[in-house]
Every structure is written in structure tokens, then in C-alpha cells.
Amino acid sequence: MIERAPAQSPRADMVRNRHLLLTAATEAFAEGGVDVSMGEIAQRAGVAKGTVFRHFPSKDDLLAAITLRLLDGLVGTAERLLKADDAGAALREFMTAGVETLTADRAFCEVIGRPSLQHAEVRAEIARLCDTVEALTARAREQGAVRGDITGTDVVLLLGGIHQTAAPVLDQQPQAWRRYLELAFDGLFATGARALPHHPPAGLHLTDPRQSARPAGGSPPSPARRRQEVTTTKGHTD
């Protein structure tokens, strides 16, 4: 008599499919950005398209789940480095890991401002990241490793800024971000530098910077409308 392997339970099957989908989606979004279709993700995962929507009703739900994974990894890195003796070296290591994460995942920065960031779990994880990085930065300040007016929010925002600065040349020079990271380090670790103007907000509330160019409740102005506005303005000032 041939013994059959026990059939996989529906619950185990759901867990397996969710893992496959998250892995496939993480790879697809990292390579192609947020415009990758749900159909392509299903194909990569080897499941039916309907299975994707049973686990994630919308693309933003899927992006939220992936964002949580990435944020959790960054928080874990920061928490581990809180135990390091050399706080300055720990902050360097965290920032290097953070920019490397952004550089390896094209979708991560594209997610900023999308509804997926409004998920309560994602917002809570962003707050957790900021709190942990603030603790990491505070240790570096206490040891005199960084200038006294640097905050954890500064550090978190710099991660995205460094990535965006290097983004135009990353296809030709994948390691170019390291140059701009070193420039940032020079500013963070500078001694005798002038005090920084303004103070970053206590909490980090990420929004889409493109929204600032939109009329309240409206869509972005069309190219034709922008040209008309420029022409009208010039007519008044000439």
C-alpha cells in the first residue's frame, strides 16, 4: 500500500500563497517600481490572479505589506546597533544599510505619498523607526560623535535624500550613492560647524511632495495651463 502525504490544510495553503506573493511582489516592485501589474505578480508567484486579490484587495494593500517588511528590517538594524559601544560607527552603519535598502528597491521611494502609507500599521512602523533612530542618534550626540543639533528625523530624511541625489546615475554607477553618503557624513560629523536653521518636526508625517503643486481638491495643472499661466505672468511683469 502506497502511503500518501497528508494534504496541506487550507490555512497552511493560505500562508504559503501569501509568502509566495510577498516574495514575488517584493522582487517585482524592486525591479520595476510600483507600476508592475498584479497579473505579473501572480505569474511570478505561480498563483491565479484571483489569489492575489483574496490576500490583497488592492495594490496599495500589497505595497503596504511590503513596506512593512522593509521598515521592520530597518528597525531591526537600528535596534541591534543601539547595543554597539561606538555610537558614531553604529549611526554610520545604520545609514549605510538604510540607503542601500532604498537603492536596491525602486518601489520603496515611489510609495511615499501613496494611500498605502495611510495604513495604520505602516504609520505605526514609521513612528517606531523614527523613535529608534532618534535613540541611535541621541547616543551618538552624547558621545560627541555627531554635531549636537542633529536629530533622528534628520537622519531618516537624509536616507531618502541621499538616494534621490544619486538616482539619476545609479543605472551607470550603482555605487554612486556612497559618494553622497560620505558627503552627508561630513555634515553630520562636522566639528565647529555653524548651527543649523530651523528644526525638523517631532514626528515624521510623510506626504507626496507633488501635492503641494496641486490646487486644493483638484488635479495637477496641465502643461498647456502651466504655459498659459507663465505667459500671463510675463505679460503682467514686462
mmCIF file with all atom_site columns, all heavy atoms in Angstrom, residues 40-54:
data_model
loop_
_atom_site.group_PDB
_atom_site.id
_atom_site.type_symbol
_atom_site.label_atom_id
_atom_site.label_alt_id
_atom_site.label_comp_id
_atom_site.label_asym_id
_atom_site.label_entity_id
_atom_site.label_seq_id
_atom_site.pdbx_PDB_ins_code
_atom_site.Cartn_x
_atom_site.Cartn_y
_atom_site.Cartn_z
_atom_site.occupancy
_atom_site.B_iso_or_equiv
_atom_site.pdbx_formal_charge
_atom_site.auth_seq_id
_atom_site.auth_comp_id
_atom_site.auth_asym_id
_atom_site.auth_atom_id
_atom_site.pdbx_PDB_model_num
ATOM 1   N N   . GLU A 1 40 ? 1.247  40.328 -13.344 1.00 0.00 ? 40 GLU A N   1
ATOM 2   C CA  . GLU A 1 40 ? 2.641  39.900 -13.417 1.00 0.00 ? 40 GLU A CA  1
ATOM 3   C C   . GLU A 1 40 ? 3.093  39.307 -12.086 1.00 0.00 ? 40 GLU A C   1
ATOM 4   O O   . GLU A 1 40 ? 3.838  38.324 -12.045 1.00 0.00 ? 40 GLU A O   1
ATOM 5   C CB  . GLU A 1 40 ? 3.542  41.078 -13.791 1.00 0.00 ? 40 GLU A CB  1
ATOM 6   C CG  . GLU A 1 40 ? 5.017  40.698 -13.891 1.00 0.00 ? 40 GLU A CG  1
ATOM 7   C CD  . GLU A 1 40 ? 5.914  41.855 -14.294 1.00 0.00 ? 40 GLU A CD  1
ATOM 8   O OE1 . GLU A 1 40 ? 5.415  42.803 -14.925 1.00 0.00 ? 40 GLU A OE1 1
ATOM 9   O OE2 . GLU A 1 40 ? 7.127  41.801 -13.963 1.00 0.00 ? 40 GLU A OE2 1
ATOM 10  N N   . ILE A 1 41 ? 2.629  39.906 -10.998 1.00 0.00 ? 41 ILE A N   1
ATOM 11  C CA  . ILE A 1 41 ? 2.996  39.395 -9.674  1.00 0.00 ? 41 ILE A CA  1
ATOM 12  C C   . ILE A 1 41 ? 2.427  37.992 -9.476  1.00 0.00 ? 41 ILE A C   1
ATOM 13  O O   . ILE A 1 41 ? 3.105  37.100 -8.963  1.00 0.00 ? 41 ILE A O   1
ATOM 14  C CB  . ILE A 1 41 ? 2.496  40.357 -8.586  1.00 0.00 ? 41 ILE A CB  1
ATOM 15  C CG1 . ILE A 1 41 ? 3.315  41.653 -8.653  1.00 0.00 ? 41 ILE A CG1 1
ATOM 16  C CG2 . ILE A 1 41 ? 2.608  39.723 -7.197  1.00 0.00 ? 41 ILE A CG2 1
ATOM 17  C CD1 . ILE A 1 41 ? 2.736  42.787 -7.844  1.00 0.00 ? 41 ILE A CD1 1
ATOM 18  N N   . ALA A 1 42 ? 1.184  37.788 -9.892  1.00 0.00 ? 42 ALA A N   1
ATOM 19  C CA  . ALA A 1 42 ? 0.569  36.466 -9.783  1.00 0.00 ? 42 ALA A CA  1
ATOM 20  C C   . ALA A 1 42 ? 1.361  35.437 -10.589 1.00 0.00 ? 42 ALA A C   1
ATOM 21  O O   . ALA A 1 42 ? 1.599  34.316 -10.131 1.00 0.00 ? 42 ALA A O   1
ATOM 22  C CB  . ALA A 1 42 ? -0.877 36.524 -10.269 1.00 0.00 ? 42 ALA A CB  1
ATOM 23  N N   . GLN A 1 43 ? 1.774  35.839 -11.793 1.00 0.00 ? 43 GLN A N   1
ATOM 24  C CA  . GLN A 1 43 ? 2.553  34.944 -12.641 1.00 0.00 ? 43 GLN A CA  1
ATOM 25  C C   . GLN A 1 43 ? 3.884  34.587 -11.990 1.00 0.00 ? 43 GLN A C   1
ATOM 26  O O   . GLN A 1 43 ? 4.293  33.420 -11.995 1.00 0.00 ? 43 GLN A O   1
ATOM 27  C CB  . GLN A 1 43 ? 2.773  35.598 -14.011 1.00 0.00 ? 43 GLN A CB  1
ATOM 28  C CG  . GLN A 1 43 ? 3.440  34.681 -15.028 1.00 0.00 ? 43 GLN A CG  1
ATOM 29  C CD  . GLN A 1 43 ? 3.538  35.346 -16.391 1.00 0.00 ? 43 GLN A CD  1
ATOM 30  O OE1 . GLN A 1 43 ? 3.461  36.562 -16.519 1.00 0.00 ? 43 GLN A OE1 1
ATOM 31  N NE2 . GLN A 1 43 ? 3.706  34.542 -17.436 1.00 0.00 ? 43 GLN A NE2 1
ATOM 32  N N   . ARG A 1 44 ? 4.546  35.558 -11.419 1.00 0.00 ? 44 ARG A N   1
ATOM 33  C CA  . ARG A 1 44 ? 5.825  35.298 -10.747 1.00 0.00 ? 44 ARG A CA  1
ATOM 34  C C   . ARG A 1 44 ? 5.649  34.355 -9.564  1.00 0.00 ? 44 ARG A C   1
ATOM 35  O O   . ARG A 1 44 ? 6.503  33.519 -9.285  1.00 0.00 ? 44 ARG A O   1
ATOM 36  C CB  . ARG A 1 44 ? 6.430  36.607 -10.245 1.00 0.00 ? 44 ARG A CB  1
ATOM 37  C CG  . ARG A 1 44 ? 7.124  37.453 -11.297 1.00 0.00 ? 44 ARG A CG  1
ATOM 38  C CD  . ARG A 1 44 ? 7.865  38.577 -10.600 1.00 0.00 ? 44 ARG A CD  1
ATOM 39  N NE  . ARG A 1 44 ? 8.559  39.457 -11.537 1.00 0.00 ? 44 ARG A NE  1
ATOM 40  C CZ  . ARG A 1 44 ? 9.801  39.894 -11.379 1.00 0.00 ? 44 ARG A CZ  1
ATOM 41  N NH1 . ARG A 1 44 ? 10.497 39.532 -10.319 1.00 0.00 ? 44 ARG A NH1 1
ATOM 42  N NH2 . ARG A 1 44 ? 10.358 40.704 -12.245 1.00 0.00 ? 44 ARG A NH2 1
ATOM 43  N N   . ALA A 1 45 ? 4.538  34.533 -8.851  1.00 0.00 ? 45 ALA A N   1
ATOM 44  C CA  . ALA A 1 45 ? 4.291  33.721 -7.660  1.00 0.00 ? 45 ALA A CA  1
ATOM 45  C C   . ALA A 1 45 ? 3.768  32.342 -7.998  1.00 0.00 ? 45 ALA A C   1
ATOM 46  O O   . ALA A 1 45 ? 3.751  31.445 -7.141  1.00 0.00 ? 45 ALA A O   1
ATOM 47  C CB  . ALA A 1 45 ? 3.306  34.440 -6.743  1.00 0.00 ? 45 ALA A CB  1
ATOM 48  N N   . GLY A 1 46 ? 3.320  32.150 -9.248  1.00 0.00 ? 46 GLY A N   1
ATOM 49  C CA  . GLY A 1 46 ? 2.780  30.858 -9.659  1.00 0.00 ? 46 GLY A CA  1
ATOM 50  C C   . GLY A 1 46 ? 1.393  30.591 -9.116  1.00 0.00 ? 46 GLY A C   1
ATOM 51  O O   . GLY A 1 46 ? 1.015  29.449 -8.842  1.00 0.00 ? 46 GLY A O   1
ATOM 52  N N   . VAL A 1 47 ? 0.599  31.679 -8.948  1.00 0.00 ? 47 VAL A N   1
ATOM 53  C CA  . VAL A 1 47 ? -0.763 31.525 -8.446  1.00 0.00 ? 47 VAL A CA  1
ATOM 54  C C   . VAL A 1 47 ? -1.712 32.241 -9.402  1.00 0.00 ? 47 VAL A C   1
ATOM 55  O O   . VAL A 1 47 ? -1.291 33.017 -10.267 1.00 0.00 ? 47 VAL A O   1
ATOM 56  C CB  . VAL A 1 47 ? -0.919 32.110 -7.023  1.00 0.00 ? 47 VAL A CB  1
ATOM 57  C CG1 . VAL A 1 47 ? 0.027  31.419 -6.055  1.00 0.00 ? 47 VAL A CG1 1
ATOM 58  C CG2 . VAL A 1 47 ? -0.680 33.620 -7.016  1.00 0.00 ? 47 VAL A CG2 1
ATOM 59  N N   . ALA A 1 48 ? -3.010 31.976 -9.225  1.00 0.00 ? 48 ALA A N   1
ATOM 60  C CA  . ALA A 1 48 ? -4.013 32.635 -10.053 1.00 0.00 ? 48 ALA A CA  1
ATOM 61  C C   . ALA A 1 48 ? -4.139 34.100 -9.643  1.00 0.00 ? 48 ALA A C   1
ATOM 62  O O   . ALA A 1 48 ? -3.894 34.461 -8.477  1.00 0.00 ? 48 ALA A O   1
ATOM 63  C CB  . ALA A 1 48 ? -5.358 31.944 -9.899  1.00 0.00 ? 48 ALA A CB  1
ATOM 64  N N   . LYS A 1 49 ? -4.539 34.944 -10.584 1.00 0.00 ? 49 LYS A N   1
ATOM 65  C CA  . LYS A 1 49 ? -4.667 36.368 -10.291 1.00 0.00 ? 49 LYS A CA  1
ATOM 66  C C   . LYS A 1 49 ? -5.668 36.614 -9.171  1.00 0.00 ? 49 LYS A C   1
ATOM 67  O O   . LYS A 1 49 ? -5.484 37.499 -8.328  1.00 0.00 ? 49 LYS A O   1
ATOM 68  C CB  . LYS A 1 49 ? -5.085 37.128 -11.553 1.00 0.00 ? 49 LYS A CB  1
ATOM 69  C CG  . LYS A 1 49 ? -5.037 38.644 -11.406 1.00 0.00 ? 49 LYS A CG  1
ATOM 70  C CD  . LYS A 1 49 ? -5.326 39.323 -12.735 1.00 0.00 ? 49 LYS A CD  1
ATOM 71  C CE  . LYS A 1 49 ? -5.289 40.836 -12.595 1.00 0.00 ? 49 LYS A CE  1
ATOM 72  N NZ  . LYS A 1 49 ? -5.540 41.511 -13.898 1.00 0.00 ? 49 LYS A NZ  1
ATOM 73  N N   . GLY A 1 50 ? -6.731 35.797 -9.138  1.00 0.00 ? 50 GLY A N   1
ATOM 74  C CA  . GLY A 1 50 ? -7.734 35.948 -8.084  1.00 0.00 ? 50 GLY A CA  1
ATOM 75  C C   . GLY A 1 50 ? -7.158 35.720 -6.702  1.00 0.00 ? 50 GLY A C   1
ATOM 76  O O   . GLY A 1 50 ? -7.620 36.311 -5.716  1.00 0.00 ? 50 GLY A O   1
ATOM 77  N N   . THR A 1 51 ? -6.128 34.877 -6.624  1.00 0.00 ? 51 THR A N   1
ATOM 78  C CA  . THR A 1 51 ? -5.491 34.608 -5.330  1.00 0.00 ? 51 THR A CA  1
ATOM 79  C C   . THR A 1 51 ? -4.833 35.870 -4.782  1.00 0.00 ? 51 THR A C   1
ATOM 80  O O   . THR A 1 51 ? -4.831 36.117 -3.569  1.00 0.00 ? 51 THR A O   1
ATOM 81  C CB  . THR A 1 51 ? -4.436 33.490 -5.472  1.00 0.00 ? 51 THR A CB  1
ATOM 82  O OG1 . THR A 1 51 ? -5.073 32.314 -5.965  1.00 0.00 ? 51 THR A OG1 1
ATOM 83  C CG2 . THR A 1 51 ? -3.768 33.185 -4.147  1.00 0.00 ? 51 THR A CG2 1
ATOM 84  N N   . VAL A 1 52 ? -4.274 36.678 -5.679  1.00 0.00 ? 52 VAL A N   1
ATOM 85  C CA  . VAL A 1 52 ? -3.638 37.929 -5.246  1.00 0.00 ? 52 VAL A CA  1
ATOM 86  C C   . VAL A 1 52 ? -4.663 38.811 -4.555  1.00 0.00 ? 52 VAL A C   1
ATOM 87  O O   . VAL A 1 52 ? -4.430 39.333 -3.454  1.00 0.00 ? 52 VAL A O   1
ATOM 88  C CB  . VAL A 1 52 ? -3.022 38.691 -6.444  1.00 0.00 ? 52 VAL A CB  1
ATOM 89  C CG1 . VAL A 1 52 ? -2.324 39.955 -5.961  1.00 0.00 ? 52 VAL A CG1 1
ATOM 90  C CG2 . VAL A 1 52 ? -2.063 37.814 -7.211  1.00 0.00 ? 52 VAL A CG2 1
ATOM 91  N N   . PHE A 1 53 ? -5.834 38.964 -5.183  1.00 0.00 ? 53 PHE A N   1
ATOM 92  C CA  . PHE A 1 53 ? -6.844 39.867 -4.638  1.00 0.00 ? 53 PHE A CA  1
ATOM 93  C C   . PHE A 1 53 ? -7.538 39.310 -3.404  1.00 0.00 ? 53 PHE A C   1
ATOM 94  O O   . PHE A 1 53 ? -8.104 40.070 -2.625  1.00 0.00 ? 53 PHE A O   1
ATOM 95  C CB  . PHE A 1 53 ? -7.860 40.218 -5.726  1.00 0.00 ? 53 PHE A CB  1
ATOM 96  C CG  . PHE A 1 53 ? -7.288 41.102 -6.808  1.00 0.00 ? 53 PHE A CG  1
ATOM 97  C CD1 . PHE A 1 53 ? -6.948 40.575 -8.049  1.00 0.00 ? 53 PHE A CD1 1
ATOM 98  C CD2 . PHE A 1 53 ? -7.058 42.449 -6.575  1.00 0.00 ? 53 PHE A CD2 1
ATOM 99  C CE1 . PHE A 1 53 ? -6.402 41.383 -9.036  1.00 0.00 ? 53 PHE A CE1 1
ATOM 100 C CE2 . PHE A 1 53 ? -6.509 43.265 -7.558  1.00 0.00 ? 53 PHE A CE2 1
ATOM 101 C CZ  . PHE A 1 53 ? -6.184 42.732 -8.789  1.00 0.00 ? 53 PHE A CZ  1
ATOM 102 N N   . ARG A 1 54 ? -7.502 37.988 -3.223  1.00 0.00 ? 54 ARG A N   1
ATOM 103 C CA  . ARG A 1 54 ? -8.048 37.430 -1.987  1.00 0.00 ? 54 ARG A CA  1
ATOM 104 C C   . ARG A 1 54 ? -7.168 37.798 -0.793  1.00 0.00 ? 54 ARG A C   1
ATOM 105 O O   . ARG A 1 54 ? -7.650 37.986 0.317   1.00 0.00 ? 54 ARG A O   1
ATOM 106 C CB  . ARG A 1 54 ? -8.188 35.908 -2.098  1.00 0.00 ? 54 ARG A CB  1
ATOM 107 C CG  . ARG A 1 54 ? -9.446 35.454 -2.817  1.00 0.00 ? 54 ARG A CG  1
ATOM 108 C CD  . ARG A 1 54 ? -9.733 33.991 -2.579  1.00 0.00 ? 54 ARG A CD  1
ATOM 109 N NE  . ARG A 1 54 ? -8.738 33.125 -3.187  1.00 0.00 ? 54 ARG A NE  1
ATOM 110 C CZ  . ARG A 1 54 ? -8.770 32.727 -4.462  1.00 0.00 ? 54 ARG A CZ  1
ATOM 111 N NH1 . ARG A 1 54 ? -9.747 33.146 -5.257  1.00 0.00 ? 54 ARG A NH1 1
ATOM 112 N NH2 . ARG A 1 54 ? -7.828 31.930 -4.943  1.00 0.00 ? 54 ARG A NH2 1
#
